[in-house]
Amino acid sequence: MQWIVQNKSYNNDGLSRLIEALDKKKSNYQLIDVIPFSHELVPIPSVTEACVVMGTNTLVRLASQYGWKPGAWIDDNFRFEKWLEHYGDNLLNSDAIVCRFADATFEGTAFVRPCEDLKAFSGMEINDEDFEMWRDLTIDGDTNDARILSPDLQVLISPIKDIYLECRLFVVDGEVVASSRYKIEARVIASDYVDQGILDYAKTMIDIWQPARAFVMDIAQMGNNEYKVVEINCLNGSGFYAANVGNIVDAIEAMNL
C-alpha cells in the first residue's frame, strides 16, 4: 500500500513521529504539500495501488476528489446525527439541538460545533452575544469564515458539560490500537496513560457500532466519573497527541487494503 503524507500538517512532533514510524516499517510513502486556497497538491502523487492519506482536512477531501481508495475513512457516518442514532445517551451531547447555522440561537453560554466531522469551524464554548455577532457577520460575508460557512450548515447547540478529562482512541478493525489523554479539565496535557475504565467503555461502544474500519473515538470522563463519547473523528486528519504512532501505522498496514 501507499501513504500520502502532508507536510506541516501535525502540531508539535506529530509529523516527525509519523515519518519515523513509516521509515521503521519500510512503508511506501510520499511527502506532499497542499497549496493554501488553491488546494493544489505539489507534487501530484502517482497512485497505482491502495493508498492512505494523512494530513489536514483539505487533503482528506482531496483524496475523495482524486478517487484514491481508501484514501481517507470519511462519509456520512462521521456526522453527529449518526452518532446519536447509534450511541444515544452514551453520546456527550445527546441533548443537543440541531439547526441551520443561520437559525442558531441560544441564551447564556453553550457549546456549538458543526454536525459534520471535517469541521467548517472548531467546536467552541461561547456566550450568546458573541455567537450571534459572529454568526451575523459571517452570514453577511464580513469574516474570514464566510467563504467556508454556509447559512445552511447544520450545527449542534448543547449545554456546557462538567468534564474532568478527555482521551483519544485510535480504532482499526474493531480494536483500540493506540490512545492518549489530551485534556484534564481546561488544561491540554498529552499522556499515553489512559485508564482501563475508559478503554473498557470504548470497547463497549465499539461493539455497539463502528462508523468505519478505521476511526478515532474521543471519550470523556465526567465530573461524576461517568464516561461519554465526545465525538467520532476521521483518523486520517486527527492529531496524535501522545498516542503510539507506530502502532497506528502497523495496524493500517495489516488491513490488507
Side-chain angles (χ1 to χ4, degrees):
M1 63 171 287
Q2 180 177 353
W3 297 74
I4 298 171
V5 180
Q6 182 180 347
N7 277 314
K8 302 176 183 177
S9 56
Y10 289 93
N11 292 331
N12 301 322
D13 62 346
L15 179 60
S16 61
R17 288 160 56 210
L18 175 58
I19 296 304
E20 180 181 353
L22 292 168
D23 283 337
K24 184 176 181 180
K25 190 73 175 178
K26 294 182 170 56
S27 300
N28 173 22
Y29 71 90
Q30 181 175 358
L31 287 168
I32 57 94
D33 290 298
V34 179
I35 305 302
F37 305 113
S38 71
H39 297 165
E40 295 178 61
L41 300 184
V42 179
I44 297 177
S46 175
V47 176
T48 59
E49 57 185 318
C51 94
V52 171
V53 302
M54 300 293 285
T56 63
N57 288 343
T58 299
L59 180 60
V60 168
R61 293 187 181 97
L62 288 172
S64 176
Q65 293 180 25
Y66 278 99
W68 297 333
K69 302 295 182 182
W73 290 278
I74 184 73
D75 57 21
D76 283 344
N77 282 340
F78 289 78
R79 292 186 59 87
F80 171 78
E81 298 93 336
K82 280 290 186 179
W83 316 338
L84 182 60
E85 175 185 342
H86 293 281
Y87 294 136
D89 290 342
N90 283 295
L91 193 60
L92 177 68
N93 295 312
S94 61
D95 56 351
I97 295 170
V98 174
C99 62
R100 295 169 65 245
F101 177 60
D103 299 330
T105 186
F106 54 88
E107 294 183 359
T109 301
F111 176 76
V112 184
R113 60 152 286 171
C115 289
E116 63 183 12
D117 176 46
L118 301 182
K119 304 179 184 70
F121 65 89
S122 297
M124 66 180 100
E125 293 185 8
I126 189 170
N127 67 53
D128 48 5
E129 292 183 0
D130 289 344
F131 175 79
E132 290 174 10
M133 180 183 299
W134 172 66
R135 179 202 62 199
D136 293 345
L137 287 172
T138 299
I139 291 173
D140 290 341
D142 292 333
T143 72
N144 291 332
D145 296 319
R147 60 187 176 81
I148 58 174
L149 280 178
S150 162
D152 293 326
L153 177 73
Q154 292 290 297
V155 299
L156 66 90
I157 304 169
S158 177
I160 304 300
K161 305 300 193 302
D162 178 20
I163 299 174
Y164 171 59
L165 66 82
E166 297 178 58
C167 296
R168 173 157 294 179
L169 289 78
F170 292 79
V171 182
V172 177
D173 283 340
E175 299 295 331
V176 175
V177 299
S179 57
S180 173
R181 282 186 182 183
Y182 63 86
K183 185 182 289 187
I184 297 179
E185 296 178 331
R187 296 168 293 163
V188 176
I189 299 178
S191 167
D192 62 359
Y193 174 77
V194 173
D195 185 81
Q196 187 61 45
I198 289 177
L199 296 173
D200 292 342
Y201 176 79
K203 180 59 178 172
T204 299
M205 295 301 102
I206 292 166
D207 289 344
I208 290 174
W209 180 69
Q210 299 174 53
R213 289 186 65 186
F215 61 98
V216 165
M217 175 182 283
D218 288 350
I219 301 289
Q221 181 178 336
M222 311 303 290
N224 58 7
N225 289 324
E226 289 184 340
Y227 302 125
K228 295 288 185 180
V229 177
V230 178
E231 60 186 13
I232 299 295
N233 293 304
C234 173
L235 182 147
N236 309 80
S238 295
F240 301 121
Y241 296 106
N244 188 318
V245 181
N247 286 354
I248 299 169
V249 169
D250 288 347
I252 292 175
E253 287 271 4
M255 291 176 75
N256 191 28
L257 298 172

